[in-house]
Amino acid sequence: MSTARHASAPFTVDLVVLTALTSELAVLLEKGKGNSGRWTLPWRLPVRSESLNAVSGRLAVSAVGSKAAWIEQLGAFGDGRAHPSLVQLSVAFVAAVPHEMAGPERGFHWFPVRDLPPLAPRHRSMVEAAIERLRMAVDRAPIAFRLLPPRFTLTELQQMYELLLGKRLHKASFRRSLQAASLVTATDEWRSEGRGRPAQLYTFAPKRKNRPARGVRFDLLGGTGV
Amino acid sequence: MSTARHASAPFTVDLVVLTALTSELAVLLEKGKGNSGRWTLPWRLPVRSESLNAVSGRLAVSAVGSKAAWIEQLGAFGDGRAHPSLVQLSVAFVAAVPHEMAGPERGFHWFPVRDLPPLAPRHRSMVEAAIERLRMAVDRAPIAFRLLPPRFTLTELQQMYELLLGKRLHKASFRRSLQAASLVTATDEWRSEGRGRPAQLYTFAPKRKNRPARGVRFDLLGGTGV
DNA sequence: TCGAATTAGTCACTAACTGATACTAAAGTC
DNA sequence: GACTTTAGTATCAGTTAGTGACTAATTCGA
């Protein structure tokens, strides 16, 4: 580790902002402030007594110009992986914003996650963790809905879920479980999108329901280092 | 925030060690080092250049005397909630250990989570987050198995899951999904536990299987702040 | 104008899973 | 030996998930 020591708090707050680009997940990067002009995640040395949530929220606003649709702490990253600030510890946040939302501020740029420029090792592991966390969060928070405009077609919604989850979904099953969860209500508007039959527009209007509270999910155990 | 400033790293690593006490979840607390003699979570000011994982691992060993059965980073906690160290930031870890394992070291004590002594606010929120995280992790990591002795009955396994999840499970369903996941193998031993029919002993012996990869879980959306 | 192509939306069928109850098995207790 | 207690299994009905096939409504080109 280096010996950098400045006035402000001794750790950085870093932010992984994700969005749905055309048909791919994308991360917001900033033209590196200091050293080599490389791209970095947006980050900041918070002043003391600022709360982590406040810092990350304002960092998001300063990067995309408005409040994030979803934001959550990822965790602390350190462990010798290099960081542009030379600070030992970074607290990372994940956020998601609709791409159409007032575009990124000057100096920021969207990069598809499959084709990122070289990043500091610590930033690279943050991006990986962020994508994983987003996929976990997608069915616990209404992220997909918040990335869409207020009125959307069910096909758009399904494509958003497919993009976020990184896998194809079956149309009939998707709509059945959407129906069962009573999360959307149909409007009386239809939108014709070029070729085929027009699609009905829906709005996000969740009605509280009790969770089913299934049993144990042993099946999830198969995956990783058992 | 206070103005404490010492030589070592400017944040603490704190640990929430959980175990299955008789029929309740319990947390390991330490008799407060400094101030008021209150109980605290085990914590430490790491020396620079130590990795977070290394610090938390050794912290666990120093508290319970052996390696934790499961350990995972919870996240960073700050935000003005008081901490015994007076340091601005703490990185928290959750761990689980079998209770029978070489008991806690001197100065440490198990407390049922339903009946905790007064804790620093930051520690209290760590404990809450830890329990929630444990419940999420239970069906992604073999925590229940590692909290049991190498040979166990299926009733013991079920009771461990019930304790960790904080809810009752259905016997037949539990065994059916356990079977489907092919995680245990029967031994030819049986154990008679007082009254009824003896129970067969099993060992944890997972055979890798592919995950099922279900669709979208809209049903999970009903719960919290939508 | 009439089909072919295209996209939206639904149906019906099957397989799998869940939860409940009831049952058999093997031990101890009186 | 009858009764109680715990382990373990079987069966059944209701629910859910995945699949392909179907109908509906529109555009495009011949």
Side-chain angles (χ1 to χ4, degrees):
Chain A
M1 286 291 90
S2 178
T3 53
R5 198 75 79 89
H6 293 94
S8 42
F11 59 88
T12 65
V13 170
D14 299 37
L15 184 62
V16 185
V17 189
L18 297 169
T19 199
L21 219 54
T22 326
S23 61
E24 215 171 352
L25 262 187
V27 187
L28 188 66
L29 298 181
E30 184 177 11
K31 198 71 179 181
K33 312 182 183 185
N35 14 3
S36 51
R38 284 164 68 171
W39 292 95
T40 71
L41 292 177
W43 60 272
R44 176 176 293 185
L45 276 165
V47 301
R48 286 189 168 273
S49 87
E50 263 186 321
S51 93
L52 293 172
N53 289 335
V55 176
S56 62
R58 276 187 290 108
L59 188 51
V61 170
S62 75
V64 295
S66 65
K67 205 156 152 286
W70 168 76
I71 188 165
E72 187 171 286
Q73 197 201 111
L74 251 188
F77 290 71
D79 295 6
R81 295 173 158 278
H83 185 273
S85 71
L86 301 179
V87 154
Q88 185 187 4
L89 191 77
S90 302
V91 179
F93 283 74
V94 220
V97 298
H99 176 239
E100 305 76 14
M101 201 164 81
E105 302 288 308
R106 278 194 67 82
F108 293 88
H109 195 256
W110 291 113
F111 287 86
V113 294
R114 298 257 170 240
D115 185 28
L116 292 179
L119 290 176
R122 195 184 296 174
H123 277 176
R124 185 163 292 279
S125 53
M126 285 178 192
V127 172
E128 285 168 22
I131 294 170
E132 196 177 330
R133 179 71 70 91
L134 175 72
R135 299 215 160 126
M136 300 296 291
V138 153
D139 49 31
R140 288 182 176 77
I143 302 174
F145 298 94
R146 300 226 184 114
L147 297 191
L148 290 171
R151 324 210 133 199
F152 49 85
T153 71
L154 296 189
T155 302
E156 286 170 345
L157 181 63
Q158 178 174 348
Q159 285 169 347
M160 180 62 74
Y161 267 99
E162 289 177 340
L163 193 157
L164 294 177
L165 294 173
K167 68 179 180 192
R168 301 299 313 277
L169 299 172
H170 191 270
K171 182 167 60 160
S173 301
F174 180 81
R175 292 174 183 223
R176 209 189 304 123
S177 43
L178 186 59
Q179 191 80 21
S182 50
L183 290 173
V184 297
T185 52
T187 69
D188 52 359
E189 290 180 64
W190 298 71
R191 180 198 296 160
S192 191
E193 199 85 68
R195 294 285 272 183
R197 167 176 170 175
Q200 190 164 15
L201 295 182
Y202 287 76
T203 58
F204 179 53
K207 296 171 187 50
R208 295 300 169 88
K209 302 205 19 177
N210 298 336
R211 304 192 183 195
R214 287 225 191 33
V216 189
R217 302 288 311 274
F218 287 114
D219 51 292
L220 294 174
L221 248 172
T224 41
V226 175
Chain B
M1 284 291 90
S2 180
T3 52
R5 199 74 81 91
H6 294 95
S8 41
F11 59 88
T12 65
V13 170
D14 299 36
L15 184 62
V16 185
V17 188
L18 297 169
T19 199
L21 219 52
T22 326
S23 62
E24 216 171 350
L25 263 188
V27 187
L28 189 65
L29 298 181
E30 186 177 10
K31 198 71 179 182
K33 311 182 185 186
N35 14 3
S36 52
R38 283 163 68 169
W39 294 94
T40 71
L41 292 177
W43 61 273
R44 177 176 292 186
L45 275 165
V47 302
R48 286 189 168 275
S49 88
E50 264 185 320
S51 93
L52 292 173
N53 289 335
V55 176
S56 61
R58 275 188 290 107
L59 189 50
V61 170
S62 74
V64 295
S66 67
K67 206 155 150 288
W70 168 76
I71 188 165
E72 187 171 286
Q73 196 203 112
L74 251 189
F77 291 71
D79 295 9
R81 294 173 159 279
H83 186 272
S85 71
L86 302 179
V87 154
Q88 186 186 3
L89 190 78
S90 303
V91 179
F93 283 74
V94 219
V97 298
H99 176 239
E100 304 76 15
M101 199 162 84
E105 301 288 309
R106 277 194 67 81
F108 293 88
H109 195 256
W110 291 114
F111 287 86
V113 295
R114 297 258 169 239
D115 186 28
L116 292 180
L119 290 175
R122 195 184 293 172
H123 278 176
R124 185 163 291 280
S125 55
M126 284 176 190
V127 172
E128 286 168 22
I131 294 169
E132 194 176 333
R133 180 70 71 89
L134 174 72
R135 299 215 161 124
M136 300 297 291
V138 153
D139 50 31
R140 289 182 176 74
I143 302 174
F145 298 94
R146 299 225 184 114
L147 297 192
L148 289 171
R151 325 209 134 199
F152 49 85
T153 70
L154 296 190
T155 302
E156 287 170 345
L157 181 62
Q158 178 174 345
Q159 285 168 347
M160 180 62 74
Y161 267 99
E162 289 177 342
L163 194 157
L164 294 176
L165 294 172
K167 69 180 180 191
R168 301 299 314 277
L169 298 173
H170 186 82
K171 182 168 63 162
S173 301
F174 181 82
R175 292 173 183 223
R176 219 184 301 126
S177 42
L178 187 59
Q179 191 79 22
S182 50
L183 290 172
V184 297
T185 51
T187 68
D188 52 0
E189 289 181 63
W190 299 71
R191 179 197 297 159
S192 189
E193 199 83 69
R195 293 283 271 181
R197 167 176 170 174
Q200 191 164 14
L201 294 181
Y202 287 77
T203 59
F204 179 54
K207 298 172 186 49
R208 293 302 167 88
K209 303 209 12 183
N210 297 336
R211 303 194 185 192
R214 287 219 186 41
V216 189
R217 301 288 312 273
F218 287 114
D219 50 293
L220 294 175
L221 249 173
T224 41
V226 174

